[in-house]
Amino acid sequence: MKIDPNSSKDLSAQIAQAIKEAIISGQLPVDERLPSESELSEQFDVSRPTVREALKRLAAQSLIRTQRGATGGAFVNRLSFEDAYAQQITTSTLLLSMNAVSFETACEARYALERACAPLSAQRREADHLATMRAEIHRQSQPGLSDEAFCASDVAFHRALVDGAGNPVLSYQLAGAVEAMQPSMNMITFTARSRSEIIALHTRIADAIEAGNPIQADAALSELQTYTVKLADDVIAKRAAAK
Amino acid sequence: MKIDPNSSKDLSAQIAQAIKEAIISGQLPVDERLPSESELSEQFDVSRPTVREALKRLAAQSLIRTQRGATGGAFVNRLSFEDAYAQQITTSTLLLSMNAVSFETACEARYALERACAPLSAQRREADHLATMRAEIHRQSQPGLSDEAFCASDVAFHRALVDGAGNPVLSYQLAGAVEAMQPSMNMITFTARSRSEIIALHTRIADAIEAGNPIQADAALSELQTYTVKLADDVIAKRAAAK
DNA sequence: AATTTTCATTTGTCAGACATTTAATTGTAT
DNA sequence: ATACAATTAAATGTCTGACAAATGAAAATT
């Protein structure tokens, strides 16, 4: 392997790129051990710190894991759905907070994706996901609940809906969309009135899923979207008025 | 800022985590300059190489960018949709290839998400996205096209459909799902017969979008999904028979 | 005033060393 | 011979100190 020392990019970035491509192409299979840092530094003709910076870049993307000790080293990591969730969530969160995405746009995306799941959830309707949804609805109706806890429960409800589709790829894709919305949702002050409204819609959704009725689920989700946007608009209007 | 030197995690991982949290929480706003590497090494009470490893971890996630020179340093990076797309695509691709996700599962996820976009596309139906879809359909009907080129055009068609929803958050979420499928799609050998079938369905989708008819678009997408899964099954069956 | 030169700052890279972890090997005692 | 303890080797983790290269600002020069 060779590296261009006159490139505009850092050596560590180039080395990371080269190894990354080897992983993506399948040249380096899962659990394969990379050469030791010393060997890599010889192969790429760079110093060990430079190799290490490259490896840390890959580790940050969960592409490799490292282990110390005699039989240690850097190993190609099997990217788990769990790791991917976490990355997806932070990326989505930052994307929303840094790019002035409107609440409405984010909300539209989130509900569009959830509505894609609803028919599959209604079709499969597994007992444990339904139980989770019911449990979260029950929690949401507790009187002493803080707004943050209410939002967290809301996220849990929607994740159960998504997971109910029984498709891990969908769950992974949507984890970001649902969780990334939480910071904006936390801005909303949920009155007793709005909570009961939301709980009623959640109940309708759960009922529709349980009944295997995708059309009703879709309708309830649609109403929930409209209502959520309205609540956010009210908060924004109230803030503007306070100024 | 302090770091626990007895933690199970690497120092560089802890430092990266601390800075990452500062960015996510908004303590470090976009374009803010971090302290220089020497200053950070003093603040965290570690050596400069350790700080550098931490910074490279952040750079790998597009959270910071670095610049050399007198006024250089590490700056908090505004995570662009473009950067996020790229990350999303590699993560999704690896997730699919490393976890033995069945073609059917991936396909189901992809089409569920696309069907979530179709109504929005039909509602907004911007001229340039429609033009892209028509152009890709035309390309797909060229006789000399390789299977890879046909697949690439297929991806372009579906991306135009998704982008037509006019929601960048949706586009970002779906970029991964659509593009990650390409390696599996490339396994399929597209006969003249199957190509004309797919083109007919693409045309129906484009027509439905242009007419602002989400129901027809959904129906065509549903048929396309069924047909795609059937094609893949045929390939798998043929391979099994060849053994 | 414009241009060139110098300079200080900062990241990028290197070399070498020591610390720490870990598993295999070796040695020892029962 | 087996069980247990000590040693050893290999690998990552961390540190120190140094130099190279880029870059903008300040100083010097024309």
Side-chain angles (χ1 to χ4, degrees):
Chain A
M1 306 201 209
K2 292 165 207 164
I3 291 299
D4 173 17
N6 299 323
S7 163
S8 60
K9 281 205 287 186
D10 293 353
L11 292 178
S12 69
Q14 291 178 61
I15 292 168
Q17 179 72 22
I19 298 175
K20 184 175 179 176
E21 279 166 10
I23 293 174
I24 291 175
S25 73
Q27 280 172 54
L28 289 173
V30 167
D31 291 334
E32 177 93 344
R33 183 180 173 282
L34 299 187
S36 73
E37 294 175 354
S38 318
E39 287 172 312
L40 284 173
S41 68
E42 273 188 32
Q43 285 181 29
F44 286 111
D45 197 27
V46 297
S47 68
R48 209 184 130 213
T50 302
V51 166
R52 281 183 61 81
E53 286 178 11
L55 294 180
K56 295 311 160 203
R57 287 178 189 264
L58 298 174
Q61 298 174 277
S62 306
L63 292 178
I64 61 168
R65 60 177 187 278
T66 55
Q67 212 176 356
R68 292 172 75 163
T71 58
F75 298 83
V76 177
N77 196 33
R78 161 166 275 123
L79 185 62
S80 67
F81 278 95
E82 209 171 312
D83 285 341
Y85 286 156
Q87 285 183 232
Q88 169 80 349
I89 288 168
T90 58
T91 304
S92 301
T93 305
L94 283 170
L95 203 51
L96 258 53
S97 71
M98 284 181 170
N99 288 280
V101 174
S102 74
F103 187 88
E104 199 174 340
T105 302
C107 214
E108 177 180 271
R110 173 182 159 172
Y111 280 98
L113 296 173
E114 284 196 36
R115 285 160 75 180
C117 289
L120 294 170
S121 279
Q123 185 187 319
R124 286 172 194 158
R125 48 181 175 180
E126 285 169 39
D128 54 344
H129 296 122
L130 266 168
T132 304
M133 290 168 73
R134 298 291 186 194
E136 294 300 337
I137 289 173
H138 183 256
R139 176 173 304 159
Q140 287 155 23
S141 53
Q142 302 288 321
L145 213 63
S146 71
D147 281 345
E148 283 73 20
F150 185 82
C151 283
S153 171
D154 186 69
V155 167
F157 174 86
H158 287 278
R159 285 206 61 165
L161 171 65
V162 169
D163 290 340
N167 187 315
V169 179
L170 268 178
S171 293
Y172 149 69
Q173 297 280 355
L174 271 92
V178 173
E179 305 241 1
M181 285 285 296
Q182 201 170 6
S184 348
M185 292 289 289
N186 274 334
M187 300 186 331
I188 302 176
T189 309
F190 292 98
T191 61
R193 177 85 191 82
S194 65
R195 285 193 188 187
S196 70
E197 191 93 23
I198 289 170
I199 290 166
L201 285 166
H202 282 175
T203 306
R204 273 180 56 196
I205 292 168
D207 288 348
I209 299 291
E210 191 162 11
N213 188 331
I215 294 171
Q216 279 188 2
D218 193 77
L221 275 169
S222 178
E223 280 183 49
L224 186 53
Q225 178 182 350
T226 308
Y227 188 65
T228 308
V229 170
K230 184 182 162 295
L231 281 180
D233 282 347
D234 287 351
V235 169
I236 292 165
K238 200 171 284 179
R239 283 196 188 167
K243 274 192 184 174
Chain B
M1 308 200 207
K2 291 167 206 165
I3 290 298
D4 173 18
N6 299 324
S7 164
S8 60
K9 281 205 287 187
D10 292 352
L11 292 178
S12 68
Q14 291 178 61
I15 293 168
Q17 178 73 23
I19 298 176
K20 185 175 179 175
E21 279 167 11
I23 293 174
I24 291 175
S25 74
Q27 279 172 56
L28 289 172
V30 168
D31 291 335
E32 177 93 345
R33 183 180 174 281
L34 299 187
S36 73
E37 294 175 354
S38 318
E39 287 173 312
L40 285 173
S41 69
E42 274 188 30
Q43 285 181 27
F44 287 110
D45 196 27
V46 297
S47 69
R48 211 186 126 210
T50 302
V51 166
R52 281 182 62 80
E53 286 178 11
L55 294 180
K56 294 312 160 203
R57 292 176 117 107
L58 298 173
Q61 298 174 278
S62 305
L63 292 178
I64 61 168
R65 60 179 186 279
T66 54
Q67 211 176 357
R68 291 170 73 164
T71 58
F75 298 84
V76 177
N77 196 32
R78 162 165 276 122
L79 185 61
S80 66
F81 278 95
E82 209 171 311
D83 285 341
Y85 285 157
Q87 284 183 234
Q88 170 80 356
I89 289 168
T90 58
T91 303
S92 301
T93 306
L94 283 170
L95 204 52
L96 258 55
S97 71
M98 284 181 170
N99 288 280
V101 174
S102 74
F103 188 88
E104 199 173 339
T105 301
C107 214
E108 177 180 272
R110 173 182 159 173
Y111 280 98
L113 296 172
E114 283 196 37
R115 285 160 75 180
C117 288
L120 294 170
S121 279
Q123 186 186 318
R124 284 170 196 160
R125 49 180 175 180
E126 285 169 40
D128 54 344
H129 296 121
L130 266 167
T132 304
M133 290 168 73
R134 298 292 186 193
E136 295 300 337
I137 289 173
H138 182 256
R139 176 173 303 159
Q140 287 156 22
S141 53
Q142 301 288 322
L145 213 64
S146 70
D147 281 345
E148 282 73 21
F150 185 82
C151 282
S153 171
D154 185 70
V155 167
F157 174 86
H158 287 277
R159 285 207 60 165
L161 171 64
V162 168
D163 290 339
N167 187 315
V169 179
L170 268 178
S171 293
Y172 148 70
Q173 298 279 356
L174 274 106
V178 174
E179 305 240 1
M181 286 285 295
Q182 201 170 6
S184 348
M185 292 289 289
N186 274 334
M187 301 184 335
I188 302 177
T189 309
F190 291 99
T191 61
R193 178 85 192 82
S194 65
R195 284 193 190 187
S196 72
E197 191 94 21
I198 288 169
I199 290 167
L201 285 165
H202 282 175
T203 306
R204 272 179 56 195
I205 293 168
D207 289 347
I209 299 292
E210 191 162 11
N213 188 330
I215 295 171
Q216 278 189 3
D218 194 77
L221 274 168
S222 177
E223 280 183 49
L224 187 52
Q225 177 182 352
T226 308
Y227 189 65
T228 307
V229 170
K230 185 182 160 296
L231 280 181
D233 282 347
D234 286 351
V235 169
I236 292 165
K238 200 172 282 178
R239 284 195 187 168
K243 273 190 182 174

